[in-house]
Amino acid sequence: MGSKWRKAKLALGLNTCLYIPKTLEDSPATASSTVAGGRFFDAVSLSPTTPNRNSDCHVDMPTTPTPSSSGLRMPKYHNSKSSKSTCAICLMSMKPGQGHAIFTAECSHSFHFNCITSNVKHGNQICPVCRAKWKEIPFQSPLTDISQPRSRNGQVHWPQHDAWMTVVRQVPPARLDTNRNISNVFQTVEPSVFDDDEVVDHRPMGSQKNSSTDVTNHHSMGAIEVKTWPEISAVTKSASHSNFAVLVHLKAPHAVGLLNQSGMPVTGQNSRAPVDLVTVLDVSGSMAGTKLALLKRAMGFVIQNLGPADRLSVIAFSSTARRLFPLRRMSDTGKQEALQAVNSLSSNGGTNIAEALKKSAKIMTDRKWKNPVSSIILLSDGQDTYTINSPNVAATQTNYRSLLPACMQRNAASSGLHIPVHTFGFGADHDAVSMHSISETSGGTFSFIEAENVIQDAFAQCIGGLLSVVVQELRVEVECVHPVLHLNSIKAGSYNASLASDNKSGNIEVGDLYADEERDFLAMLDIPADRSSNDMMTLVKVKCTYKDPTQSDNLDLVTLDHIDDVKIERPDTIGRLIVSMEVDKQRNRLQSAEAMAEARSAAENGDLAAAVSVLERCRKKLSETVSAKAGDRLCLALDAELKEMQERMANRRVYETSGRAYVLSGLSSHSWQRATARGDSTDSTSLIQAYQTPSMIDMVSRSQTMYLGSPAPRPPLRPLRSFPARQQPRGYISSKMYINKEDFWQELSVKQKTNSQ
């Protein structure tokens, strides 16, 4: 048997030794393995500790894997003759050795797995015996047929030469026990002031003073590209035009110096702006098992992609919140310690998002030193059970705003932190409304992680942007030039836009831009009839000011005011009228976003039919526009997204499970004109890839391929799920883990050809 197993390992390239920590309930006399639907179900997790190896490079698996709140066991010995030996649903025997998977619920009652999955497939979470309400229900996943060899004691081996997988190991899911004492991580004494952050440079915070310089003296990178378009090229002297649109298009400079000749990132201080990042991670009981393991794996990817000038701090929260370590540079030592801290996480308890965000704000306010870029990432799969349900907190939107400390809200005083919180709703049970509210209020984005194996891709897309910030504190000024003109409004989505008291000018506070990121704003004004005007009318002029965070001192305020004024013709008669395709596209984007918001409002009021009708009308109107008829890609993407939303509003169950989160993530993306993860948006073949930058695409590509040590990508292993998810569209690509053995793939190819013949 040993010889056959060694041959199997060599064939599959599964030659990495695994360290498998045992649970408290492990018994050396039992060797049963967790199964789902009669097949093995595995989860991955971080474990940088050194495994104990034997001569055959095997490490014992835990003898009795313990599920989060319920689990599946294939018992070998069962001496009890009580009612536990009979399934309460089919009333048939649950004797060992009959080949049936046994499901043991958190209330300790056992059933045939097939019986209980059939019983709860419509959402019934009540125990048939004691009527206790379960926090988790069994799910018979079609994706748990993982084609990997196992020895009799259940060992699994993962790739050895994958740079990300070096921090990934198999662990059994932990049992959910809300009565258990919180982990030692939450019992460690924390300092009263979080001023123990690792030094960045020799200048403390607050020592920097702003100065001003013209863009002609700014040589560290290219300037922001600014273009303007009027919606039509001419308006006759005798005619007036209300709500005339002028498009202001901005594009950030390229990510100069971010990649070396091999296409890999250069993480030195001078290559890009270093980041202060705080990740706030939900480790409540519902995160047990595969969810927590994949979260650790995704955090391993984040840690590996941070540079030595970047600083990271991690907060874990359940019923309470705890800082695992202070802001620390991600040097080799810092990365190792960060991985060890993340790997120490276990799941239990409730969900206290508010306390976790307060702690993240404290880290940012108390720090002695400051990197040019600061951001917070929040991930949760549940609902805040401590703040939202408190009787002392006001209802509705004010209730959700209470989750975010006042100093982090965009409308706070100028002394506020102004640090965006990018939120990630994990699975079907998270509170999408609160997560969207937190991100919207802080200036961050909301992503919906529907399939748990996409969590790493979602994180990758986010940090791909954060690690490529090239513009900060961007402010756009639009001023009317002709004395008869006035601004009606500025269409800026979620960005703060204001008009002067005389409506002659307006400002847009844009903030940070990632490399190659684009922004489009529509300035709306009324053009009156004017027979005395010249043949040309100058409408508006545009000016930009911003900071370049890639500068070592970050002192200079760049001013860009040599931008061509926007002009139109004012002839007596018009021949052929030229309509701006660019303005038409942006009108379509804004109208689609408005339709999404209107449909969501109807859905929340219980009228799904009206919601679907709103989206259908928008699609029809979109198809009749000039840009759509020209086959514009943005219009095609908008139509695909609107159609997807219609499908997710098919009925109340679908909307509650995924539709609400999908719509809110889309609204977040369009309101900030920044990429969010939702559905298959991180798939390279998806139409819905709005606002992705080259840096984001590159980081997601690394996450999805992960074939380091091999020159070519490999076919993926099956992804894992611990909760039901809707079937993905054709062309969907999940996170991939590639086995790095040339001989195996050659042999497999030959066998497949042989079998097909």
Side-chain angles (χ1 to χ4, degrees):
M1 178 62 190
S3 175
K4 290 182 180 179
W5 172 234
R6 281 191 294 272
K7 289 179 180 179
K9 286 195 303 176
L10 292 174
L12 285 173
L14 302 175
N15 55 350
T16 300
C17 300
L18 304 181
Y19 165 66
I20 310 299
K22 296 179 180 290
T23 68
L24 294 176
E25 296 183 5
D26 289 341
S27 171
T30 309
S32 57
S33 302
T34 302
V35 294
R39 292 176 178 176
F40 293 106
F41 181 82
D42 302 316
V44 293
S45 178
L46 298 170
S47 181
T49 55
T50 304
N52 295 324
R53 299 176 174 84
N54 60 19
S55 59
D56 198 26
C57 208
H58 290 183
V59 181
D60 290 340
M61 284 284 290
T63 55
T64 307
T66 310
S68 57
S69 63
S70 58
L72 302 174
R73 296 187 178 93
M74 193 72 74
K76 285 190 176 183
Y77 305 102
H78 200 306
N79 296 324
S80 173
K81 295 184 180 181
S82 66
S83 59
K84 291 185 178 180
S85 62
T86 301
C87 175
I89 298 176
C90 68
L91 302 180
M92 299 297 289
S93 172
M94 292 192 296
K95 292 181 180 179
Q98 293 182 340
H100 296 294
I102 307 301
F103 172 81
T104 302
E106 58 202 78
C107 58
S108 300
H109 292 111
S110 299
F111 312 91
H112 287 128
F113 177 67
N114 289 335
C115 294
I116 198 63
T117 52
S118 176
N119 189 58
V120 302
K121 67 181 179 181
H122 298 296
N124 181 12
Q125 300 184 29
I126 304 297
C127 175
V129 178
C130 66
R131 312 305 294 171
K133 186 173 182 179
W134 295 337
K135 297 186 188 309
E136 291 187 358
I137 61 175
F139 167 56
Q140 189 165 11
S141 170
L143 299 175
T144 54
D145 182 14
I146 303 173
S147 54
Q148 302 178 55
R150 278 182 178 264
S151 67
R152 288 183 178 178
N153 64 356
Q155 298 168 20
V156 176
H157 296 268
W158 294 94
Q160 182 178 17
H161 302 293
D162 188 326
W164 314 134
M165 292 300 293
T166 56
V167 296
V168 176
R169 302 290 185 267
Q170 291 281 343
V171 297
R175 178 180 295 276
L176 171 63
D177 185 356
T178 55
N179 296 321
R180 187 180 67 186
N181 291 332
I182 301 299
S183 168
N184 290 334
V185 163
F186 296 94
Q187 296 174 348
T188 311
V189 177
E190 287 182 336
S192 58
V193 180
F194 290 159
D195 59 354
D196 51 352
D197 52 310
E198 190 170 357
V199 63
V200 171
D201 53 33
H202 299 292
R203 295 181 300 113
M205 290 177 57
S207 66
Q208 302 168 347
K209 295 182 180 180
N210 292 339
S211 61
S212 180
T213 183
D214 190 81
V215 72
T216 55
N217 298 320
H218 184 68
H219 301 295
S220 67
M221 63 177 186
I224 290 178
E225 179 183 328
V226 182
K227 294 181 179 180
T228 55
W229 289 272
E231 67 170 278
I232 54 177
S233 58
V235 176
T236 60
K237 294 180 180 180
S238 60
S240 62
H241 197 302
S242 60
N243 276 329
F244 186 94
V246 174
L247 172 62
V248 180
H249 172 81
L250 311 172
K251 184 174 181 179
H254 296 297
V256 178
L258 291 183
L259 301 177
N260 61 22
Q261 292 180 348
S262 302
M264 296 304 292
V266 180
T267 54
Q269 180 78 18
N270 297 325
S271 63
R272 61 168 173 81
V275 178
D276 279 350
L277 177 64
V278 177
T279 57
V280 184
L281 309 178
D282 187 345
V283 292
S284 59
S286 57
M287 284 291 295
T290 309
K291 286 185 181 180
L292 183 60
L294 292 179
L295 173 60
K296 291 179 179 181
R297 182 173 181 263
M299 276 302 301
F301 179 86
V302 172
I303 291 167
Q304 294 287 3
N305 279 279
L306 294 177
D310 300 315
R311 300 191 303 172
L312 174 70
S313 181
V314 176
I315 292 175
F317 72 95
S318 55
S319 301
T320 184
R322 198 74 193 164
R323 186 190 68 162
L324 300 188
F325 53 87
L327 278 172
R328 182 171 299 164
R329 283 186 179 183
M330 289 296 98
S331 59
D332 290 342
T333 302
K335 287 182 178 181
Q336 182 180 4
E337 293 174 351
L339 290 171
Q340 290 174 346
V342 170
N343 188 47
S344 70
L345 294 175
S346 60
S347 56
N348 52 66
T351 305
N352 196 336
I353 296 175
E355 183 179 342
L357 288 175
K358 286 179 183 177
K359 197 143 291 185
S360 67
K362 183 174 176 60
I363 290 176
M364 292 299 191
T365 52
D366 290 356
R367 55 184 169 165
K368 282 185 177 180
W369 313 94
K370 182 181 179 182
N371 267 328
V373 181
S374 300
S375 190
I376 295 171
I377 289 177
L378 165 67
L379 179 137
S380 177
D381 75 332
Q383 304 179 20
D384 188 290
T385 53
Y386 291 83
T387 305
I388 296 298
N389 296 328
S390 173
N392 298 322
V393 181
T396 63
Q397 191 65 19
T398 305
N399 204 344
Y400 290 119
R401 288 175 66 92
S402 66
L403 294 173
L404 189 69
C407 63
M408 297 178 67
Q409 298 181 13
R410 282 189 303 139
N411 296 328
S414 58
S415 59
L417 289 176
H418 302 297
I419 295 174
V421 180
H422 299 285
T423 61
F424 295 81
F426 197 5
D429 297 325
H430 76 278
D431 188 346
V433 178
S434 67
M435 298 294 274
H436 176 260
S437 177
I438 290 168
S439 64
E440 189 73 11
T441 306
S442 66
T445 56
F446 165 58
S447 292
F448 170 37
I449 304 176
E450 183 174 12
E452 61 186 24
N453 56 346
V454 185
I455 180 174
Q456 183 169 297
D457 293 349
F459 275 20
Q461 179 173 268
C462 184
I463 66 169
L466 294 176
L467 299 183
S468 65
V469 174
V470 294
V471 171
Q472 285 187 309
E473 299 181 25
L474 172 59
R475 189 171 187 262
V476 180
E477 301 177 20
V478 180
E479 182 180 353
C480 294
V481 176
H482 199 282
V484 301
L485 299 178
H486 296 83
L487 289 172
N488 287 337
S489 62
I490 298 178
K491 305 291 186 181
S494 291
Y495 294 99
N496 288 330
S498 59
L499 299 180
S501 57
D502 59 358
N503 282 22
K504 284 289 188 179
S505 63
N507 300 314
I508 311 168
E509 303 294 339
V510 182
D512 294 359
L513 287 183
Y514 304 150
D516 298 292
E517 202 167 34
E518 302 179 41
R519 295 289 182 270
D520 293 284
F521 306 109
L522 290 180
M524 314 301 293
L525 47 93
D526 290 337
I527 299 178
D530 188 2
R531 294 184 180 276
S532 63
S533 65
N534 297 325
D535 291 340
M536 295 294 295
M537 174 182 276
T538 302
L539 302 182
V540 297
K541 61 181 179 180
V542 180
K543 175 183 175 181
C544 295
T545 58
Y546 61 93
K547 278 185 178 182
D548 174 11
T550 64
Q551 291 280 2
S552 58
D553 53 11
N554 195 25
L555 296 177
D556 296 336
L557 187 66
V558 182
T559 301
L560 185 62
D561 55 6
H562 305 300
I563 303 168
D564 293 338
D565 295 342
V566 182
K567 300 179 181 181
I568 60 170
E569 298 178 7
R570 296 302 304 267
D572 293 324
T573 59
I574 294 178
R576 183 173 178 271
L577 190 65
I578 301 176
V579 178
S580 170
M581 189 80 71
E582 297 300 324
V583 175
D584 188 63
K585 290 194 299 185
Q586 296 308 316
R587 278 190 185 274
N588 290 340
R589 178 181 62 82
L590 290 170
Q591 289 172 356
S592 298
E594 290 171 359
M596 294 173 193
E598 184 181 350
R600 187 219 161 200
S601 178
E604 294 298 337
N605 290 328
D607 196 345
L608 289 173
V612 172
S613 296
V614 168
L615 298 176
E616 185 61 32
R617 288 195 299 270
C618 183
R619 291 181 65 196
K620 183 178 180 180
K621 188 176 181 179
L622 183 66
S623 67
E624 297 170 351
T625 61
V626 175
S627 52
K629 291 179 179 178
D632 174 65
R633 178 175 173 80
L634 173 60
C635 294
L636 292 174
L638 290 171
D639 182 72
E641 187 172 7
L642 292 167
K643 182 180 179 182
E644 179 75 11
M645 290 181 181
Q646 284 181 300
E647 294 175 357
R648 291 174 184 262
M649 293 180 174
N651 56 61
R652 177 56 52 180
R653 183 186 64 81
V654 173
Y655 180 72
E656 295 285 349
T657 302
S658 68
R660 177 185 290 116
Y662 187 90
V663 173
L664 287 173
S665 182
L667 287 172
S668 175
S669 180
H670 291 302
S671 66
W672 295 111
Q673 299 182 56
R674 178 160 282 171
T676 63
R678 59 195 187 279
D680 65 340
S681 63
T682 55
D683 174 11
S684 60
T685 65
S686 172
L687 278 176
I688 306 172
Q689 292 179 314
Y691 317 114
Q692 279 188 331
T693 67
S695 299
M696 291 178 177
I697 294 171
D698 173 71
M699 195 65 74
V700 172
S701 177
R702 291 185 222 172
S703 171
Q704 291 181 339
T705 54
M706 292 172 57
Y707 62 89
L708 302 181
S710 175
R714 300 296 180 219
L717 299 176
R718 282 185 178 270
L720 308 178
R721 300 178 192 270
S722 65
F723 55 85
R726 64 189 303 275
Q727 187 174 359
Q728 298 295 345
R730 182 177 299 177
Y732 177 79
I733 299 177
S734 65
S735 301
K736 305 183 184 84
M737 296 177 291
Y738 291 103
I739 296 176
N740 183 23
K741 282 293 179 180
E742 294 287 342
D743 294 341
F744 168 70
W745 299 116
Q746 263 189 343
E747 182 179 347
L748 179 62
S749 177
V750 171
K751 288 183 177 180
Q752 287 176 335
K753 290 179 181 179
T754 303
N755 293 336
S756 64
Q757 295 172 356

